[in-house]
Amino acid sequence: MLQRIGYFARETWNSLIRNWAMTVAGILVIAVSLLFLGGMYLNRQRVNHYNVRWRGGVGAEIFMRVDASQNEIGDVRAALDKDRTAEGLVKNYVFLDHAAALAEFQRIFRDDPETVRSVTDASALPESFRLKLRDAKLVDAVDSRYKIMPGVDEVVSPKKEIHQKLDQAAKTGIALVVVSIVLALAAVVLIVNTIRLAIFARRREIEVMKLVGASNWFVRVPFMAEGLVQGLLGGLLAAGGVYAIKWGYEQWFYERGYYITSGDAILAAIAVVFLGGILGAAASAVGLWRRLDV
Amino acid sequence: MIRFENVTKIYKGDVVALRDVSLDVQKGEFVFLVGPSGSGKSTFLKLLLREEVATSGKIIVAGRDVSRLGAWKVPLLRRNIGCIFQDFKLFPNKTVYENVAFAPEVIGRPRNVIRTQVPQILDLVGLNHKADAFPGQLSGGEQQRVSIARAFVNRPLILLADEPTGNLDPATTAGIMKLLDRINRTGTTVVMATHDEGIVDAMRRRVVELDHGSLVRDQARGVYGVGT
């Protein structure tokens, strides 16, 4: 058994090396295709995490400055209470103190222990009021009334922002998926071609193998492995790319409230490697179709 | 060992390669298959190997009904049949030893078995001293010996030879025929397709003649030409 695995590994490796230009092309196209897919997923998750904030009909969130005093917070609370009348702006509100903010932070990043550990001091997170508005149209009024109060950092409302972001994410998502499918097809065609070339290069050996009675699987496995290896290598590259996207986003494009968690990255990375394997195997199957029959 | 029952093979485009051929070859026989080009010799051999499937009739090889064999069982059939060819089909980038060891390797024989069998078979064909040479460094006769070693190393029940001496001079041919005779004496059935009258006449073995796809002669101790 070990002897066979050694044989298959050697044959596959030789074949990949002998035709290295095609091999590299196949791997790269698969990698780029899967990277688009992974990037789309990360972008969607980024927006989804932001959405968590606005679940349960929350209409606006007033962020206090991290260093806001108890008095300033009290003043905002008093103003909100005054606004909670029949003709006021606010239907209801919840106050998230440092501890609650930390708890939510830990919940969002629950699969990201490193990030969770990096924030031990709850007071580093701003306190906030989450408001349910009497009418969604009152967002602007809330914004102008509370933004100017002392100790308030900013008023964030989901309406314009969320819809814009969701829309944007959906549109780029569709575009990325289309590009990714086209590239995946190109990758499959490339790998099919690579395998046919490999079969052609080894046709004399294959002929003799068949004559002396090598089993059909024995003849096929190295070629199947060839496609699979290309797919998996492409997937691994794409997985690296997924982490690069996460890192780059955090370095250069970070927007408040939009997170990519490690959990998202791990899932995306596993998915692209898996998909790479499937693409490679499928390409092998097409490449071998009716080629190595008895 | 080999049995053809009313076998007909028609290729696409109504080319009749074999017409109603019936034949019985016993274990350990040595059979010459003669006839002009296009008489159906190659088709006969291809049907034995199940590279082609008969249009009608029944073919039994080593106890198996070839036409009913599933695709995954064809390799098992072929392990009972060794093949040699006019053009040797050796790998130029492998040594003599590696060329011969290729056959047991690809049917999954254990390495220690290969290590004892290959030198034995090289001894039989008289090429042990050239085990590390490459085919390009050998004469035609030596190359054919290597190809015989490769065909015989898995101890097949049947050895098919398709014009094995077609590229060789008479002296070398005699050596190859001696070797095939020796293999035949180990109980291996040998079927040899040939144009070489000299060999057939000299060996005085069973001769089966095909002409335009039909079996026109089956003589126990025959010669190449009819009635001579």
Side-chain angles (χ1 to χ4, degrees):
Chain A
M1 197 61 211
L2 222 61
Q3 189 183 338
R4 285 203 169 194
I5 291 170
Y7 166 86
F8 289 142
R10 208 167 53 241
E11 290 301 313
T12 306
W13 174 251
N14 286 342
S15 198
L16 285 168
I17 292 300
R18 177 159 35 196
N19 207 353
W20 65 270
M22 286 287 283
T23 304
V24 169
I27 291 172
L28 286 182
V29 177
I30 280 224
V32 174
S33 153
L34 291 171
L35 189 56
F36 276 108
L37 215 60
M40 185 226 47
Y41 176 76
L42 290 187
N43 190 36
R44 216 194 61 176
Q45 285 304 97
R46 198 177 68 102
V47 177
N48 274 351
H49 289 314
Y50 191 66
N51 265 335
V52 170
R53 230 163 249 283
W54 311 112
R55 290 208 184 122
V58 173
E61 186 163 11
I62 302 170
F63 280 99
M64 304 304 293
R65 287 214 306 275
V66 178
D67 57 356
S69 71
Q70 284 309 311
N71 280 342
E72 286 166 341
I73 292 171
D75 287 347
V76 173
R77 188 191 294 272
L80 282 170
D81 283 337
K82 243 198 312 189
D83 247 339
R84 212 161 52 161
T85 54
E87 62 278 7
L89 303 170
V90 183
K91 197 159 91 186
N92 213 339
Y93 72 88
V94 201
F95 176 64
L96 275 84
D97 60 8
H98 292 301
L102 181 66
E104 188 179 82
F105 172 81
Q106 284 168 343
R107 203 174 67 239
I108 291 176
F109 287 97
R110 62 185 174 278
D111 40 15
D112 211 343
E114 210 155 293
T115 312
V116 169
R117 246 179 280 124
S118 71
V119 181
T120 47
D121 184 9
S123 63
L125 298 167
E127 295 179 304
S128 66
F129 294 92
R130 280 191 190 160
L131 318 183
K132 282 188 183 172
L133 305 182
R134 215 161 39 71
D135 190 327
K137 286 180 216 125
L138 299 172
V139 163
D140 290 339
V142 170
D143 185 61
S144 53
R145 184 175 301 175
Y146 288 91
K147 191 167 58 185
I148 52 171
M149 290 190 70
V152 172
D153 185 21
E154 61 176 331
V155 177
V156 180
S157 63
K159 269 284 164 225
K160 44 185 183 202
E161 205 175 337
I162 266 301
H163 284 150
Q164 216 177 336
K165 291 280 180 192
L166 281 176
D167 202 39
Q168 203 185 356
K171 275 181 191 155
T172 45
I174 290 169
L176 287 177
V177 168
V178 169
V179 174
S180 144
I181 288 173
V182 171
L183 281 174
L185 282 176
V188 167
V189 171
L190 261 174
I191 293 181
V192 166
N193 214 344
T194 313
I195 287 170
R196 298 235 163 125
L197 278 175
I199 293 174
F200 184 74
R202 298 191 54 206
R203 64 194 181 287
R204 288 166 56 94
E205 272 170 77
I206 291 170
E207 183 190 4
V208 174
M209 282 165 97
K210 287 182 169 279
L211 280 173
V212 299
S215 70
N216 297 333
W217 282 109
F218 193 88
V219 179
R220 282 184 193 135
V221 163
F223 299 107
M224 288 171 35
E226 195 177 337
L228 189 66
V229 165
Q230 284 189 65
L232 286 176
L233 285 178
L236 281 175
L237 271 184
V242 161
Y243 277 96
I245 288 178
K246 178 175 185 285
W247 183 82
Y249 171 70
E250 281 156 8
Q251 287 291 308
W252 297 305
F253 306 106
Y254 182 71
E255 285 176 84
R256 180 175 192 161
Y258 293 91
Y259 313 106
I260 298 172
T261 68
S262 288
D264 300 333
I266 287 170
L267 193 67
I270 291 173
V272 292
V273 173
F274 187 69
L275 281 174
I278 288 181
L279 277 179
S284 293
V286 176
L288 289 174
W289 179 254
R290 288 179 177 271
R291 290 290 151 143
L292 295 181
D293 292 353
V294 181
Chain B
M1 186 56 53
I2 300 169
R3 185 192 194 96
F4 274 51
E5 289 177 15
N6 309 101
V7 173
T8 297
K9 172 68 186 175
I10 303 171
Y11 287 108
K12 254 183 239 164
D14 290 340
V15 181
V16 181
L18 282 184
R19 197 190 311 261
D20 197 23
V21 171
S22 294
L23 183 70
D24 218 330
V25 177
Q26 299 301 316
K27 180 171 164 32
E29 270 196 88
F30 195 119
V31 181
F32 284 112
L33 195 59
V34 301
S37 299
S39 57
K41 299 195 298 289
S42 296
T43 300
F44 186 92
L45 298 180
K46 279 181 180 162
L47 287 172
L48 279 181
L49 287 165
R50 204 185 172 279
E51 281 185 32
E52 296 288 349
V53 181
T55 312
S56 67
K58 196 169 173 185
I59 302 170
I60 312 252
V61 176
R64 295 165 206 266
D65 185 341
V66 172
S67 45
R68 291 225 201 123
L69 224 48
W72 64 277
K73 274 190 173 166
V74 172
L76 300 179
L77 164 77
R78 291 185 187 155
R79 284 177 199 186
N80 291 320
I81 307 174
C83 288
I84 59 174
F85 303 91
Q86 186 170 3
D87 60 354
F88 318 135
K89 296 195 195 296
L90 298 176
F91 306 127
N93 54 348
K94 286 188 198 292
T95 64
V96 166
Y97 182 94
E98 288 164 348
N99 264 288
V100 176
F102 185 80
E105 263 169 17
V106 299
I107 64 167
R109 288 279 154 82
R111 201 167 296 163
N112 54 337
V113 173
I114 296 174
R115 265 201 285 263
T116 56
Q117 273 183 352
V118 175
Q120 269 175 24
I121 210 83
L122 284 177
D123 223 19
L124 177 77
V125 302
L127 280 176
N128 231 339
H129 59 293
K130 299 229 168 153
D132 294 326
F134 288 89
Q137 299 166 318
L138 303 179
S139 71
E142 287 169 329
Q143 289 186 44
Q144 190 59 289
R145 284 166 187 272
V146 176
S147 113
I148 291 171
R150 184 176 66 191
F152 195 57
V153 65
N154 290 336
R155 308 287 162 165
L157 300 169
I158 302 167
L159 189 71
L160 299 185
D162 192 0
E163 303 276 1
T165 58
N167 276 342
L168 306 176
D169 61 66
T172 318
T173 294
I176 295 294
M177 289 317 296
K178 225 182 207 165
L179 184 54
L180 289 180
D181 188 47
R182 206 146 118 210
I183 285 172
N184 176 237
R185 283 174 202 281
T186 66
T188 310
T189 309
V190 178
V191 177
M192 175 169 161
T194 188
H195 278 129
D196 194 326
E197 296 178 30
I199 305 171
V200 179
D201 294 348
M203 297 277 289
R204 288 273 169 177
R205 297 298 188 103
R206 182 172 173 190
V207 174
V208 171
E209 185 175 350
L210 292 171
D211 191 18
H212 292 97
S214 299
L215 197 146
V216 294
R217 178 161 66 115
D218 187 349
Q219 252 180 318
R221 298 176 73 79
V223 292
Y224 194 91
V226 191
T228 49

